[in-house]
Amino acid sequence: MDSPGHEEVASFLFDQLGSLGFIAFRDQFFDQRTFTNILGIMNIDAPSFLLLTCHYDSKFLKNSPDYVGATDGAVSCAILLHMARVLHEYLREQFSRKEDIGLMLVFFDGHESMLDVKEDINSLNGSRHFAAIETMPLRSIELIISLNLIGAPDHIFLSHFSNTYILHERLADIEAELRKAGQLTECHKLFHKVKDHDSDIEDDHYPFISVIALHIVPHTYPEYWHTEKDNLANLYWPAIRNMNLIFPQFVYEYLENRIEFLSRIDKYG
């Protein structure tokens, strides 16, 4: 944050959203320092929205000036943009004619604490701001999907909330179907139909306590989390390629069959 690289990423995200047909916004606010959430929205007048989120800021490490946060933010941003590119024709054509559902992508700033790793507090500034002032009315968000810490080797993804287990199951089924069809890169299984509902980690969905959440985050932290080795050279590309096939398919299915999905979600689970 507050660096030329940070502003360059923000501008890149803003421009990409615009080029993909989203109405793009910069939501700038001050909380000890200036933060800027980057928002993209389709079907702005819809009464309900699917909210897809990740964070684009990276941790400042005093002893690691070249830290980039590859798994801790960058890959998730790329997955959301890739999803929008893959579904571009669908979103601009069939989806744009829907009157009951909109889509918003939010790249949060201020996710990382401004303090040392051992004092990892004062975080989630962007998502806390979004929820507190209701940048979008929370009652209009029918589901938030938050992505983080994706791209390290050997990571698996479990269900973190009982009321969205049905959605997690569908992610696992899509992966199995794509693998059977020979469309996936050779890689370990990512999504497991395992209920691990007591071990979620704090992330940008936390301030949205009244919104149903699906958290796509690995079961354990990446080995190089908050170290200079969290970089391009240490990403595990087979998992990223497969996620880039699974996630767009899931988003498409949700937007086309959301009433069925919502009817099967236990909001009180």
Side-chain angles (χ1 to χ4, degrees):
M1 57 190 74
D2 290 345
S3 71
H6 180 264
E7 175 55 32
E8 184 178 348
V9 171
S11 295
F12 173 80
L13 293 171
F14 181 87
D15 293 343
Q16 287 293 302
L17 289 170
S19 71
L20 290 166
F22 289 81
I23 300 173
F25 298 91
R26 291 174 179 262
D27 177 24
Q28 192 171 88
F29 63 98
F30 185 82
D31 184 358
Q32 300 184 55
R33 64 181 63 196
T34 300
F35 299 98
T36 306
N37 291 335
I38 306 297
L39 293 64
I41 189 167
M42 281 190 174
N43 294 359
I44 194 168
D45 294 321
S48 298
F49 283 85
L50 170 63
L51 179 62
L52 306 179
T53 75
C54 63
H55 71 93
Y56 76 94
D57 63 309
S58 59
K59 183 77 174 174
F60 174 70
L61 303 180
K62 289 187 295 186
N63 298 321
S64 300
D66 296 324
Y67 174 70
V68 295
T71 63
D72 199 3
V75 169
S76 296
C77 291
I79 289 171
L80 289 190
L81 290 179
H82 178 78
M83 178 278 303
R85 292 192 191 102
V86 169
L87 299 183
H88 180 252
E89 184 175 346
Y90 162 74
L91 293 173
R92 293 295 297 270
E93 298 296 333
Q94 298 100 303
F95 179 74
S96 67
R97 294 192 289 269
K98 292 182 181 290
E99 298 181 352
D100 60 336
I101 181 67
L103 175 66
M104 177 176 272
L105 275 58
V106 181
F107 300 86
F108 287 119
D109 194 5
H111 169 94
E112 299 288 2
S113 170
M114 293 175 285
L115 304 176
D116 290 336
V117 173
K118 292 181 180 179
E119 300 174 311
D120 203 10
I121 58 176
N122 189 31
S123 57
L124 308 183
N125 291 278
S127 51
R128 285 193 290 106
H129 167 79
F130 187 106
I133 72 163
E134 298 201 41
T135 305
M136 168 183 285
L138 298 187
R139 66 180 181 276
S140 70
I141 304 171
E142 63 181 33
L143 174 68
I144 179 173
I145 303 178
S146 185
L147 289 73
N148 201 4
L149 303 178
I150 299 171
D154 303 320
H155 270 170
I156 62 172
F157 298 82
L158 311 180
S159 170
H160 293 286
F161 297 100
S162 60
N163 58 5
T164 50
Y165 179 69
I166 184 67
L167 302 180
H168 181 88
E169 270 193 321
R170 185 58 199 143
L171 283 163
D173 287 340
I174 289 172
E175 180 181 11
E177 292 163 8
L178 291 173
R179 179 170 284 108
K180 185 176 180 180
Q183 296 185 35
L184 296 186
T185 299
E186 185 171 342
C187 175
H188 65 282
K189 184 165 75 170
L190 301 177
F191 291 96
H192 293 251
K193 295 182 180 182
V194 176
K195 298 177 180 179
D196 192 28
H197 298 156
D198 297 316
S199 67
D200 191 38
I201 65 171
E202 186 177 28
D203 210 342
D204 285 309
H205 59 294
Y206 264 43
F208 296 81
I209 57 173
S210 63
V211 180
I212 298 171
L214 176 65
H215 195 196
I216 300 180
V217 68
H219 181 54
T220 57
Y221 282 90
E223 178 182 359
Y224 298 131
W225 178 68
H226 282 176
T227 74
E228 196 168 306
K229 290 186 177 181
D230 186 12
N231 57 27
L232 184 71
N234 289 310
L235 291 177
Y236 185 60
W237 293 103
I240 296 171
R241 294 189 188 101
N242 289 351
M243 190 69 78
N244 273 333
L245 289 169
I246 297 165
F247 188 66
Q249 178 66 27
F250 173 81
V251 171
Y252 168 78
E253 289 189 11
Y254 181 87
L255 292 174
E256 283 294 289
N257 304 288
R258 48 184 283 274
I259 301 301
E260 178 184 351
F261 277 122
L262 290 172
S263 70
R264 300 174 67 188
I265 288 176
D266 175 13
K267 297 184 179 181
Y268 305 100

